[in-house]
Amino acid sequence: AQSVTQPDIHITVSEGASLELRCNYSYGATPYLFWYVQSPGQGLQLLLKYFSGDTLVQGIKGFEAEFKRSQSSFNLRKPSVHWSDAAEYFCAVGVSHGNEKLTFGTGTRLTIIP
Amino acid sequence: SAVISQKPSRDICQRGTSLTIQCQVDSQVTMMFWYRQQPGQSLTLIATANQGSEATYESGFVIDKFPISRPNLTFSTLTVSNMSPEDSSIYLCSVRIPGRGSYEQYFGPGTRLTVT
């Protein structure tokens, strides 16, 4: 079965600094990959997705992610974080079993300091 | 994307009672999903609810505890039955939008349930 690992439980960065959140997946073939963000008390919002093609994908709110097959990774990046980026970030994977199910990582909580 | 609403947004319930959570979408969707997010945890899929068929439950979740209805293409309910404090969680519904990429799901705002 597929799995998703987010090694960092909590990350703190200064406002204006760059950000990289790590995500590793375990699956033999190329999966469908997603990053979601959950602000306090909110549901999940889709930031970006990778299905195929260009391995660098752009999302909303200035986020991007790069799919690296050799490393089984799909890390999320942002060149300059804003205080409003403080939230919980979840990486998710879907595999081609036709059931449309997503498997979520354990999440990374991002704290922004002034 | 679709606009997804859930009712109630939060509730405090006594153990042994049941709560029905509603999920409404502003467009017709085939696939709807129900997730549980326990405090400080990630999302766990409870079941997939497709219109016109019985819900498909994940390992560890049973219909008697979490009955689901899907009467039409824009609405679903999840009932948490005979609640215990361990059922205190955020319950989220999500939908798969037709025409969007495979596996791409959009989430409702969640229902925060506290069982005392």
Side-chain angles (χ1 to χ4, degrees), chain A residues 38-83:
Chain A
Q38 185 178 35
S39 298
Q42 307 279 322
L44 274 72
Q45 182 180 22
L46 179 64
L47 281 177
L48 47 76
K49 61 197 177 192
Y50 173 78
F51 295 155
S52 64
D54 193 347
T55 56
L56 183 64
V57 294
Q58 303 295 322
I60 62 171
K61 304 185 179 187
F63 285 93
E64 66 177 27
E66 186 171 13
F67 169 61
K68 292 186 177 180
R69 184 190 305 275
S70 61
Q71 299 177 19
S72 296
S73 69
F74 188 57
N75 293 350
L76 181 71
R77 301 194 294 247
K78 187 170 185 177
S80 176
V81 298
H82 185 263
W83 63 265

Side-chain angles (χ1 to χ4, degrees), chain B residues 84-106:
Chain B
S84 67
E86 293 70 36
D87 294 319
S88 297
S89 296
I90 299 173
Y91 291 86
L92 299 112
C93 71
S94 73
V95 304
R96 164 100 155 71
I97 306 294
R100 291 299 188 105
S102 297
Y103 294 84
E104 187 172 329
Q105 294 180 23
Y106 292 85

Side-chain angles (χ1 to χ4, degrees), chain A residues 32 34 36 38 42-44 46 49 51 90 94-102 104-106, chain B residues 31 33 35 37 41-43 45 48 58 92 96 100-109 112:
Chain A
Y32 299 91
F34 304 86
Y36 285 87
Q38 185 178 35
Q42 307 279 322
L44 274 72
L46 179 64
K49 61 197 177 192
F51 295 155
F90 293 96
V95 297
S96 303
H97 291 159
N99 56 21
E100 298 277 346
K101 293 193 293 186
L102 291 178
F104 283 83
T106 51
Chain B
M31 304 187 78
F33 305 85
Y35 289 85
Q37 186 178 23
Q41 310 264 334
S42 185
L43 282 75
L45 181 64
T48 302
E58 297 300 299
L92 299 112
R96 164 100 155 71
R100 291 299 188 105
S102 297
Y103 294 84
E104 187 172 329
Q105 294 180 23
Y106 292 85
F107 285 80
R112 184 179 295 271

Side-chain angles (χ1 to χ4, degrees), chain B residues 33-109:
Chain B
F33 305 85
W34 286 98
Y35 289 85
R36 180 175 72 182
Q37 186 178 23
Q38 293 177 300
Q41 310 264 334
S42 185
L43 282 75
T44 301
L45 181 64
I46 297 172
T48 302
N50 294 335
Q51 196 271 336
S53 62
E54 296 290 323
T56 302
Y57 289 82
E58 297 300 299
S59 175
F61 297 96
V62 295
I63 188 171
D64 290 346
K65 176 67 175 178
F66 297 102
I68 288 171
S69 77
R70 182 78 202 275
N72 57 52
L73 291 173
T74 63
F75 187 78
S76 178
T77 66
L78 169 76
T79 299
V80 186
S81 303
N82 188 25
M83 290 184 283
S84 67
E86 293 70 36
D87 294 319
S88 297
S89 296
I90 299 173
Y91 291 86
L92 299 112
C93 71
S94 73
V95 304
R96 164 100 155 71
I97 306 294
R100 291 299 188 105
S102 297
Y103 294 84
E104 187 172 329
Q105 294 180 23
Y106 292 85
F107 285 80

